[in-house]
Amino acid sequence: MNSEIALSLSDVSFSHEKGKALNETTLDFRQGKTTVILGPNGAGKSILLKLCHGLITPTSGNIIMHEGYSRSAMVFPKPIFLRRTVLQNMIYVLDTLDMDEPAKIAVAQQALKKFAMEKFADSPARLLSSGEKQRLSLIRALLLEPDILYLDEPTANLDPHATRLLENMVTEGHENKTTIIMATHDLMQAKRIAERIIYIENGSIMEISNTVDFFNNPKTIQAKNFVEGKLY
Amino acid sequence: MNSEIALSLSDVSFSHEKGKALNETTLDFRQGKTTVILGPNGAGKSILLKLCHGLITPTSGNIIMHEGYSRSAMVFPKPIFLRRTVLQNMIYVLDTLDMDEPAKIAVAQQALKKFAMEKFADSPARLLSSGEKQRLSLIRALLLEPDILYLDEPTANLDPHATRLLENMVTEGHENKTTIIMATHDLMQAKRIAERIIYIENGSIMEISNTVDFFNNPKTIQAKNFVEGKLY
Amino acid sequence: MAENSDYFVQSLYLIFSLNNDLMEIIGLSLYVSLTALFLATLVGLPIGALLATKKFPGSNILNIVINAFMGLPPVVAGLFVYMMLSRSGPLGILGLLYTSEAMIIAQSILIFPILAALSRQIVEDLNNEYDELFRSLKITASRRIRTLLWESRVSLLTVLLAGLGRAIAEVGAVMIVGGNIEHSTRTMTTSIQMEISKGNLELAMALGIILLFLALSINLMMHFVRNLHQKSQGTYRDE
Amino acid sequence: MAENSDYFVQSLYLIFSLNNDLMEIIGLSLYVSLTALFLATLVGLPIGALLATKKFPGSNILNIVINAFMGLPPVVAGLFVYMMLSRSGPLGILGLLYTSEAMIIAQSILIFPILAALSRQIVEDLNNEYDELFRSLKITASRRIRTLLWESRVSLLTVLLAGLGRAIAEVGAVMIVGGNIEHSTRTMTTSIQMEISKGNLELAMALGIILLFLALSINLMMHFVRNLHQKSQGTYRDE
Amino acid sequence: YNNNRPITLMATTTTEDSGLLAVLIPQLEKDTGLKIQVVTFGTGKVLRSAKDGNADIILVHDPQSEKDFLSRGYAKERLEVMRNDFVLVGPKSNPAMINPDETITSAFDKIFEENAVFVSRGDESGTHKAEQRIWNAAGLNINNFSQSNYIVTGAGMGRSLNIAVEKPAYILTDRATWLTFKNRGNLAILNQNGKLLSNVYSVLSVNSQLHPHISEEHQTRIMNWFKSEKSRSIIRDFKFFDQPLFEPIS
Ligand SMILES: Nc1ncnc2c1ncn2[C@@H]1O[C@H](COP(=O)(O)OP(=O)(O)OP(=O)(O)O)[C@@H](O)[C@H]1O
Ligand SMILES: Nc1ncnc2c1ncn2[C@@H]1O[C@H](COP(=O)(O)OP(=O)(O)OP(=O)(O)O)[C@@H](O)[C@H]1O
Ligand SMILES: [Mg+2]
Ligand SMILES: [Mg+2]
């Protein structure tokens, strides 16, 4: 059963001063599905996520957010926080929603608890450890209850336990109908959670397959080498 | 054959406004050895590395850099670059050494080549992808030819190929007599490269073992749970 | 020189027997400069922040013009206000010329470009850092500006102090639109000017030193308020 | 107002028939202000950067004092220099009073605190960001300062323009130590002052507008130089 | 002393603004062979700066202060060179109904009686002192004036005139400034009658014994020139808007 299309890219490309970072790309993302983007450093994964999330505008082509799926949030590899406490950073995000102050605090605290971060509520967010920051960034994204959640290397700095927590959350995401688009370098992780893999290299999509196919029978030589760790 | 001691910590502890991040710690690091620090997010790994590297000063206790091993460099999880090109960032580091301009450029370009970064020489460093930044950070640290190299999650954002490159470099480090102290969340990586494991939790060292022992027979229940991914 | 320092001691003595006239003058100086700072801040900071965060047709030119207006001579600002408020001017019926209101208007015009240009720079630097976050959260432009101003408030304090310094030290504009009228528009700086033209250089110097002490106390006060606030929140040490 | 604009047109005509005297005055204004800016920058920026990067006993107090000195009235700066350079003062034998050198000295003193305080703030913000890098590389204090100044040069430009604005618009100090001597120490602002006291308000206004245009051209020039430089390096777009 | 150093002649603003110095100084330079630099301030500041040794010769118009300056030994010689006069200007509507033919004291009396608005420079300048002399001669105490109608500006002549134009108000000014002043608005000369309105300008040579850099010989050359018939004729012939402005004192 195919779900509705939440986001479409048609002929999207992106260039910066130094050249082209993404070649003409046409793609659909279906509601509630988990897509993992794989590829070497500098392949264009982050650029692709940023384009979808609307952080950067394509040099050419169109990105269509389909009705009912316009709420999106993103976890960055280098999360940015305001010079405030952890709790205040959470509340800041909630200010966009229609809630009274005590409700916001309650929601924020509950969210912190879920990722074992409640004891940091009053710590300055910018002084947390790398893993704590990444957790916080995830919590912040979830507060927005996004239809589409972009995850850019979200477990790069997480310990094994927190990584599992995040992966569980992603798997549960199906029930919440959240569309998840994630870039990672952890092949095992991709295997565990992805329903679909997009393999990208040098700004071009080389392959789009379901996860089992991708790992068992990569269609391209590049993907094959990458999976076997034989890049270059 | 035990090599010389390059760095000693005696009764070192570190506190910040929110409490104690490292409890009284006594430790030695031997020249040319690779030590990996493991532990959950917020355990105090980065604090320990920063203390050793001299970025922060201990609240109590002493850190002794033994003669002949005072040159140290560090790779951060969130590398900081000057608002300059990649090449200029490299040259900036070399300015501390006694070299003429052409020599510096040559050395920097060679170093970039080693990590397949030569095509970025003229790109603004701050606009690189997350993995490219991390490579650059490593290249920069190596330019200083340090006696002790601190690596804080150095492969968190690297693709499999680059990760292997770094690990090879660490293993080769023995020949260069470089002492390596590394924090990581990748247990497989720890297994591959560590000679000694320090397991830390809540600011306290729970266990110091050689790698084989640590993974096969962890002495503490905490380390055992961590290795099995059963934290909390 | 020995004679000069004698005069100086005399003047200081004269001053420290703080008489009512002096208190009145100090009060007016503070009132005019602080009100002007307040008004200019109210307009200058948002405009600075807007220019820092938005590119729009002409924003580049506006930037350059505001930078240039930091070089607006006080007397010219004064003259402009004079021409507006004078009986033959468009706002003549208000009868504001030679009142403290006129001085406030002139000083506000004078320090507005300073506040706008310098806050633009500081907010722009911070905006570069936070840009992705704001865009990811789809924050509105006005909220972005409010957030940036709040986050950079410690740095902006220096900008406010620069504006206050300019206002409180300024004499050209207040002289023209205020007129240094005794018991009405006489400020510290116009008094200093007057004493200089009388040749009472030591008295002028002594008055200048009082003015500096005034500026110093304001700075000290702000410093302590800031520290207190940081302590009470415990969290505003930047990385 | 109709009458005023008539005068205004007249003055504009006067301006565009640029005569030698006017050119001389403009030249002197530029020479004095730019030289003062140069000198004050030479001292102010390093001191600002030092205060931004180092805590030492008294650095806090020094900060507050420099902030307060942004409120130094020009006439007081002028008086101080007068007392130093006057024939009866300690440096009287140099015979510098009523020369352009005296004006440069007075303006340098006047704008030094502005450059130091504002650059301190901007460099401090950047230093917070780079601190770990510098400490990891064991960079010397002086190299740290040089790097920070270079890295923040675009932001510091606004500070320099603020200093230049203050210098070029200033009249109190140059009047006292320069004396508005024709063909020798007459600047734009002292001319404006003179015309106002002659009741030539429109001419004063016109001169003020020329001064603003001057400031505008300097700003434009700097803007283009900066853009050119950024283009040629291609790399200075901040994140 | 340095022979090449230009002579500093410090004068009150009015003498320069009227254009007199522009004809006087080049001739002075030519006849004495000295290089002369002119600095102009208000009388108070001129006296002070001269006392500090920053002038060789001064040209001012406050006889009382000048005599004081001389008697304290700051100056060697005082020479009255010329005079013009003060005039009472006021709004053309003339609310105090001042008559051009009455004496200045009676005019001041009317201003006081009608409680008309009056602007005083209040800066202890020569003009301010002259104004005080007239109030005294009229037997009036300005402290009895209502504060809002007796406006003390503490500013120079031109700036005070600007204020008088705006109010509008009566004000005492020297004729030279009045003639050069462009922003006259609705003000006009209403009275110029009486000895009390005389405005005498003098040159003084600063005491060179107090300031070794000053050349006494140069000073003497200049003072002698001011005593010469040539200087007097220049002053007499000087016309401002086709009116003679200064009258030489022999
Ligand atoms: N504004 C820019 N200016 C110059 N180069 C840029 C710019 N933005 C991106 N790039 C380059 O485009 C390429 C793709 O970047 P992107 O961040 O998408 O890589 P990535 O696939 O996410 O890599 P990583 O795995 O290292 O995060 C990189 O080589 C990067 O250096
Ligand atoms: N200046 C500070 N103020 C408040 N808390 C701090 C400060 N510095 C560190 N901490 C806290 O100290 C603890 C240890 O931090 P550290 O960065 O060493 O963790 P870590 O072991 O490196 O974790 P990670 O795996 O997430 O990088 C964390 O909980 C962190 O929030
Ligand atoms: Mg990326
Ligand atoms: Mg860490």
Side-chain angles (χ1 to χ4, degrees), chain A residues 188-207:
Chain A
M188 295 301 108
Q189 181 169 61
K191 259 189 195 165
R192 287 193 294 269
I193 63 167
E195 294 167 273
R196 184 173 66 153
I197 302 276
I198 296 179
Y199 181 73
I200 182 171
E201 213 179 295
N202 266 327
S204 297
I205 293 187
M206 312 299 290
E207 184 163 348

Side-chain angles (χ1 to χ4, degrees), chain A residues 53 55 83-84 92 126, chain C residues 130 135 143 147 151 239:
Chain A
H53 187 35
L55 292 186
R83 289 165 173 79
R84 302 185 186 181
Y92 183 80
R126 297 166 69 93
Chain C
Y130 284 157
R135 277 198 287 169
R143 188 156 180 237
T147 306
E151 291 284 308
E239 276 178 317

Side-chain angles (χ1 to χ4, degrees), chain C residues 36-68:
Chain C
L37 177 65
F38 176 76
L39 294 177
T41 302
L42 224 58
V43 186
L45 252 48
I47 288 188
L50 187 75
L51 286 169
T53 52
K54 272 239 184 264
K55 289 251 163 274
F56 49 86
S59 62
N60 236 334
I61 292 174
L62 196 57
N63 259 332
I64 296 172
V65 169
I66 287 183
N67 274 342

